[in-house]
Amino acid sequence: ELPPSEFMQVADSTWLVLSVVSNGREPPGCQATGVTKIARSVIAPLAEHHVSVLMLSTYQTDFILVRERDLPVVIHTLAGEFDIYKEESGECVPVTSEDVSNGFLKPKPSASPMLHPVQSPQTRFCVLTVAPDTLPAIATMLIDVLFYSHSPPWDAATGSQDLDSITFFSFSLIEGYISIVMDAETQKRFPSDLLLTSSTGELWRMVRIGGQPLGFDECGIVAQIAEPLAAADISAYYISTFNFDHALVPEEGIAEVIQLLQQRQESGR
């Protein structure tokens, strides 16, 4: 319903949401959460079959978006590991590979995916939620942060933002559940009794993927981050955006994360 505008870009694909629900079969030692929890079972297999994904972590769970035209490949890829259901009229109906096999072509192997540069600003972030009935109490502050807060200085020499400090604010409302990611300084502007976070109140650091807008045709971008972090059992909160991808990791683990990703970059050359 949004009116056409020269200021708005729209991706040319329609996307479907995959919600991955655990069935409790993970080994007891598996402690990673977020995108790394499904790195081996979902992210890596889809990347190997050349399926591009958008990843959206929320306070409550994680969602993977895949292009509608890739659904046959997705189902064929994941059916051996997962029970797959589709939602019809509010009911979950089992899906089998045979349901989407018409016209399915097994993808041809291709070269290893490109490894994109990663950057880690010094900004510290919070992952929060808020009860829907208290949202009106912070609505004015949300609008101010979303539309009127100042961005970091623009570096005219490099034509990019100073990544020592990055502006990043994410607000998602999915089926009534609200998730917010904001930097620690911005959080101080909100009433502390309305914003809910984990009992440990941990802070997160960001790894931003991509030296230029990534687009949607390339696969393996999420896997570039998720696989090495999963191998090291490091949790990650992942948000794909129109231009870049962002992984949030616990602050105390940022040095190890940077080292792991640098090693992957070097081994991929």
Side-chain angles (χ1 to χ4, degrees), residues 112-228:
S112 299
M114 174 181 177
L115 293 180
H116 291 275
V118 296
Q119 302 161 313
S120 181
Q122 298 299 312
T123 310
R124 304 156 82 209
F125 292 92
C126 309
V127 178
L128 309 151
T129 188
V130 61
D133 58 349
T134 62
L135 187 59
I138 63 171
T140 302
M141 282 172 282
L142 281 173
I143 292 172
D144 182 63
V145 171
L146 283 168
F147 299 109
Y148 300 106
S149 294
H150 296 291
S151 298
W154 185 266
D155 189 334
T158 63
S160 62
Q161 286 183 331
D162 177 11
L163 278 176
D164 284 341
S165 176
I166 187 173
T167 294
F168 186 92
F169 185 92
S170 172
F171 177 93
S172 62
L173 174 61
I174 301 175
E175 296 186 331
Y177 294 101
I178 298 169
S179 295
I180 304 174
V181 177
M182 67 177 77
D183 64 83
E185 289 302 310
T186 299
Q187 184 195 16
K188 296 176 182 178
R189 298 168 55 181
F190 291 81
S192 59
D193 59 329
L194 297 183
L195 298 180
L196 307 176
T197 188
S198 65
S199 58
T200 57
E202 60 191 341
L203 293 175
W204 302 70
R205 288 280 299 279
M206 175 181 288
V207 175
R208 189 172 84 167
I209 302 98
Q212 58 186 2
L214 298 172
F216 301 108
D217 292 327
E218 187 179 339
C219 66
I221 298 172
V222 179
Q224 173 187 341
I225 301 296
E227 289 186 282

Side-chain angles (χ1 to χ4, degrees), residues 1 8 12 23 69 71-72 95 100 138-139 145 168 182 199 213 216-217 232 239 248 257 262:
E1 297 178 3
M8 181 171 64
D12 61 357
N23 60 5
R69 66 173 182 261
L71 186 59
V95 176
V100 292
I138 63 171
V145 171
F168 186 92
M182 67 177 77
S199 58
F216 301 108
D217 292 327
I239 299 177
L248 293 166
V257 169
Q262 287 176 342

Side-chain angles (χ1 to χ4, degrees), residues 56-69:
L56 177 62
S57 295
T58 71
Y59 188 88
Q60 292 78 19
T61 188
D62 297 279
F63 298 93
I64 302 172
L65 281 78
V66 298
R67 286 178 295 197
E68 189 170 21
R69 66 173 182 261

Side-chain angles (χ1 to χ4, degrees), residues 18-64:
L18 301 183
S19 179
V20 184
V21 181
S22 170
N23 60 5
R25 290 190 296 181
E26 289 91 348
C30 182
Q31 300 297 323
T33 59
V35 64
T36 52
K37 189 174 183 179
I38 55 176
R40 297 184 185 94
S41 58
V42 180
I43 299 298
L46 291 181
E48 291 170 1
H49 286 78
H50 321 305
V51 175
S52 179
V53 304
L54 294 179
M55 186 76 201
L56 177 62
S57 295
T58 71
Y59 188 88
Q60 292 78 19
T61 188
D62 297 279
F63 298 93
I64 302 172

